[in-house]
Amino acid sequence: MPEQVTEREIANEQAFVDRVYERLEAATASAQAVADEGHGRARLGHQGGLVERDAMVYQAAKRMAALDAAREGLVFGRLDLRSREARYIGRIGLRDEKRESMLIDWRAPAAAVFYRATPQDPMGAVRRRVLRSLGDKVIGIEDDLLDPEHAPQDMPIIGDGALMAELTRARDRSMHSVVATIQREQDEAIRAPLRGVTAISGGPGTGKTVVALHRVAYLLHADRRRFESGGVLVVGPSTVFMHYIERVLPSLGETSVTLRSIGEVVDGVVARRHDAPDVAALKGSRRMLDVLRRTVRDAVPGAPDRFRAFYRDDVLTLDRSALARLRRRLLTHGSRRNLALPRVQQTLIDALWEQAQGERARARGSEEFARHLLGSDDFLDFAAAWWPPLEPASVLRWLADPDRLARNAGGLLDAAEREDLATSWAEHDRAEQDAWAIEDVPLIDELRYLLGDAPEQRQRYDPFGELADETVREVSTIDDRQLTTRGPTTRTEDDGYAHVLLDEAQDLSPMQWRMVARRGRYASWTIVGDAAQSSWPDPEQAAVARVEALRDKRVHSFHLSTNYRNSKEIFDFAATIVRKAVADPDLPEAVRETGEQPVHVAVSTGVEALRQSVTESSAELLASVEGTVGVVTTQARRGEVSSWLADTEPSRLSVLDGVGTKGLEFDGVLVVEPTEIAAESANGWRTLYVVLTRATRRVVTVSSDARWPP
C-alpha cells in the first residue's frame, strides 16, 4: 500500500478521533456541572438538600473518573459494514450533539461483531480496522478484510494485522487491556451468561487473566446496578500480580472493584511470603479444619484453672475438672466461643450456687447470691480471664506450643508434621513484624468463623449456613484510590460480593477454597486456571473443595487454545519440561516465531561462579530486550540473588521465586539453577514450566547441574 494512502487514511481517522475527544471534553464539563450543582444543593438548609448533594456529587465523580480513564486509546476500532455504515468502537460509549451514537462501548451487543467476525463468517462486516494511538493521536492502522466479495473497489487495506503488532510490543511492569485485539474464542468467554460460574481454562499465554478482567468490565456494563452495588472481588496469587493487573480495569472505565491477593483476602491480615512447600501443603490440607475445631474448644493458655469463694457459711470451689465440664457445657450444640460470652458469668454462678448448702445462703436465695458475685471484683476478674473474647490470630498462635498442637492434632497429623507446623508458628512468634505466611491466612479466616465475633461485633449472616450471623469485611478498592467522594451506595462490611473473579485457581488449597467461598456464597464467579500449572500437590482434594465452594452453581466452561505470549521456540522447550510432570498436558498452540532459541549457560560449582554468570547474563538480557526482565530462582536463593542484582535497573528487572512468577510476563526470563526449582517441591517441574512460559522474547538458564537441560 503506497505510503500516501496510509497517511491519508490516518488523517481521516484522526479527524473523527478529534471530534470524539471534543465530545469527551463536553461530557466531562457536563459531569463537572452536575457536581457543582450538587454542592449547591447543600446550601438549601435542610436534610433533603444534603442527600441530593451526596447523590449528585457521587455520580458525577464516578462519571468523571470513567471519562478520565478512557482518554488513552479512546477510539480503537472501526467496522465497515455491507450497508456502507462505519461503526466506531471505543472504551466507552459517546453520543454526538444530536444524541446520535458516535462511539459504541466495546461491551455493548452492537460491538460484538468487531470481535467475532471472521472471513469464514463476516457477520455483515466487510473490513475491521484497529486504530493504534498515542494519547489522542492516531499513529497507525491495521486492517483485516473480512468479506472481499462485498468490498468496494477503492477500499484500502492497510497493515499486517493488529494482533501481531500487539504481540511484539515490549512489556512493562503493568498488564494492559487487550480491548482492541480480543479474539473470537476470548470474546465468547467475556460475554458468557451473567449468572453461575464462568470457568476459563487454557495453557500459558492464552490470555486467561486479561480475558477474565475484561469479563468483569463487561458484567459491570451489562448489569451495573447488581454488580456495582453488590461488589466485585478479584483474587490473585500475589501482591506483585495484583499490582501488575491493577491498571486493566481502570483503563476500561471501571474503578469500583476490590483487588486482593490470596494473602490479603481477610481484612486486617497481610501476608506476602509462602511457607516451605511441605509446610504449605500441611496448612492447606482439609485436616487442618478438624485441628482448628478442636483448638477453639481448648482452654485458654494462662487462664486460671481454679476459683474459690466464701459465701455465708460455705466455701465454694471450681477446680480444673469442674471448669472443663463448664467449658464443654458452654460449647454444646456447636455454640461458638465468642458468642457464648454473655452466658459465661451466669453459667459460673449457677455452678457455684449448686454448691451452696448453708441455711443462710439458701434463705437469701439465688438472686441475692448472683448479686453478690456480680459485685465481687474477684469473681468478675476470674470470669474475664477464664473466658476472654478471642481473636483468631491469637488462637492460631496457641498452636506454636507443641504439647497443645499434639493434643489437638492427635490422630490427624503425625509427629513429624506436628513438629513442622509448631516450628513454623514459633518462628512467626519470634519475628520482629507480624509476618504471617500466605498459608496462615485461610486458617485465621476459619478461626474467625469457628470463634464467632464478640456480641457487639456480630455480623448479619454466615455464607456457609453452618455458622450463623456473619459475613466478611470490605477491603480497599480501585474506587477508593481514584474517587475522593463516597456516595450513598457504598458497600458496607456486612454485604456479600455479587461477583468473584478467582485467578490461578488450580493453586488453591482446600482451606483457601473455603476462605474464598465465604466471599462468594451468593455470587456469580469467574474462575481461571490451568491444571498443568498447578502448585497444589493433591488435585483430587482441591477438586472436592472446589465443588463444595461452588455448590450447585451452573458452570459455563470456555477453553482458550492459542498461546499469544511465548514464541514457538520458547514454548516448545517449556513443553518438554511440563511433560516430566504431566502425562497429557493441555498445550496451546504458539502463533509466533522469533528464531531465538532458549540459551543454556553452564557454570562450574561455587557461589562466585554462579554470581558472575547471573550478573553477566542479566546485563546481556537487559541489553537485548526493550522491556522487562525476570530473574527467577528458588525461595532459598532469592535473597542472595537479589543482593547480586541490587543495582541493576530496578525499573526493568525483578527477582522472584518460581511461585511468585504466577500470572506475570516479561520480555526476557533468566532462570537460576532450574533443577533446584524443580526439586524445591513435589510440583517443582510444573513450577519450572510456569517460569519458562513467562517469557515473550528470550529465555536464558544458568545452571551448575550437568543434567541440565534434560
Side-chain angles (χ1 to χ4, degrees), residues 273-292:
R273 66 173 181 87
H274 284 281
D275 278 308
D278 289 348
V279 176
L282 284 174
K283 291 182 179 179
S285 168
R286 191 179 175 88
R287 290 180 292 168
M288 287 304 302
L289 180 58
D290 291 326
V291 174
L292 298 179

Side-chain angles (χ1 to χ4, degrees), residues 476-490:
S476 67
T477 68
I478 300 170
D479 193 46
D480 295 329
R481 298 193 289 272
Q482 295 201 354
L483 295 182
T484 58
T485 305
R486 303 296 294 174
T489 61
T490 302

